[in-house]
Amino acid sequence: MGVPLASVVLVLLLCQTAQAACPQVCSCNSHHIVKCANKSLTAVPPNIPDDTEVLDLSDSGIRDLQGLADQYLPRLNELTLTGNQLSNIPDRAFVNFVSLRQLNLPDNRIRLRKLYLQSNNIKQLSGEMFWNLTSLTEINMADNPFHCDCAIDDLREWVAGKALFKDKIICASPELMRGRPLDTVYPDQLAKMCQNASLFDASAVVGSFFGGFLLAVVAYVVVVVVRRRRLGKKKPRSGDFGKLEEEDT
């Protein structure tokens, strides 16, 4: 039985639509990755598919991000703009990228002066990301659930003694650190948080092992007791009475 002509036409139309959704200068694949790297561009190509998850615009000569800010990419989680000619980032440039988790901006001409990251879900940041941002005059990272343990020590070191912060970074966890400003915490206290976590994990493993072992022992004892009680209550069979009478005589 042949395939209906209408179905074939529909498939072809869908394929053409999918191909048309990808900008001509870029390549798109089924994994929602769009690559527009190493192109002679001055601006971000229009009509990037709205289901894009990874967008690579590196080494393309881009000077302006306004064309990117105008696009709605709700699933975009990684954006690479390395090696372009960017000198500034427009206001609300990434407001339409609600899933953005990784932003790569090395080797541009940006002189970042103000960085606002307040009211997000940031738990940890590395202090290394700020080392080359020598033009910063103001930072706001308030209202984020920072987890203060040994992994955040380099950020604590960078924050110490700086008057850049509009509001202090406040620890949200672990419980012993809750409510403490990061710049008032000592390195050994952060290290102890990691040690406590390791001890807790180890005790949990040991507790699970002995708990399982004890449960097995209890179950074995219960089975033995039940079997003995059943054997004690077992009535003698009729043939057993005959044997008993012969022994009495």
Side-chain angles (χ1 to χ4, degrees):
M1 184 176 180
V3 179
L5 180 61
S7 299
V8 175
V9 173
L10 179 60
V11 170
L12 291 174
L13 286 175
L14 289 173
C15 291
Q16 290 177 355
T17 302
Q19 292 174 354
C22 187
Q24 187 175 2
V25 295
C26 305
S27 62
C28 308
N29 64 28
S30 59
H31 299 292
H32 309 291
I33 298 175
V34 178
K35 294 186 177 182
C36 312
N38 299 297
K39 306 293 182 181
S40 298
L41 306 173
T42 56
V44 177
N47 302 320
I48 293 174
D50 58 11
D51 62 349
T52 299
E53 296 180 6
V54 177
L55 177 58
D56 185 358
L57 293 163
S58 58
D59 302 309
S60 295
I62 295 174
R63 299 168 182 256
D64 184 9
L65 286 181
Q66 190 58 52
L68 183 63
D70 293 338
Q71 301 190 53
Y72 181 61
L73 303 173
R75 296 175 57 179
L76 185 67
N77 60 65
E78 182 179 338
L79 173 60
T80 298
L81 290 161
T82 304
N84 283 289
Q85 304 297 318
L86 298 171
S87 58
N88 65 80
I89 299 176
D91 292 341
R92 303 175 67 81
F94 309 116
V95 70
N96 291 326
F97 311 149
V98 295
S99 299
L100 190 63
R101 295 291 180 271
Q102 181 173 335
L103 175 61
N104 303 313
L105 283 168
D107 300 325
N108 278 280
R109 300 176 179 178
I110 298 172
R111 297 187 65 187
L112 193 62
R113 298 186 182 279
K114 296 183 179 182
L115 180 62
Y116 299 135
L117 294 171
Q118 68 272 22
S119 302
N120 283 284
N121 194 32
I122 300 172
K123 295 184 178 180
Q124 288 189 338
L125 282 176
S126 172
E128 295 181 6
M129 68 177 291
F130 300 103
W131 288 355
N132 294 323
L133 300 179
T134 56
S135 300
L136 279 174
T137 60
E138 185 176 315
I139 303 174
N140 192 345
M141 289 194 283
D143 195 25
N144 280 291
F146 280 98
H147 183 75
C148 297
D149 63 7
C150 58
I152 206 172
D153 186 52
D154 60 342
L155 179 62
R156 178 209 59 80
E157 184 178 357
W158 187 84
V159 167
K162 289 184 172 61
L164 300 174
F165 289 84
K166 190 173 182 180
D167 292 291
K168 288 183 177 294
I169 296 176
I170 305 298
C171 300
S173 61
E175 187 62 33
L176 291 174
M177 290 291 168
R178 184 186 297 274
R180 294 191 58 179
L182 181 61
D183 60 354
T184 67
V185 178
Y186 294 102
D188 59 332
Q189 294 174 321
L190 295 176
K192 189 174 292 185
M193 293 302 100
C194 286
Q195 292 171 2
N196 290 345
S198 299
L199 289 174
F200 177 79
D201 292 341
S203 62
V205 172
V206 173
S208 298
F209 173 77
F210 282 106
F213 178 76
L214 180 60
L215 184 61
V217 170
V218 171
Y220 175 77
V221 171
V222 170
V223 170
V224 170
V225 170
V226 170
R227 284 183 177 179
R228 287 185 177 180
R229 286 183 178 179
R230 286 180 178 176
L231 289 174
K233 293 180 180 180
K234 187 176 180 181
K235 294 181 180 181
R237 294 172 296 181
S238 57
D240 294 336
F241 285 112
K243 292 179 181 180
L244 292 173
E245 290 176 357
E246 290 178 359
E247 291 176 359
D248 292 340
T249 57

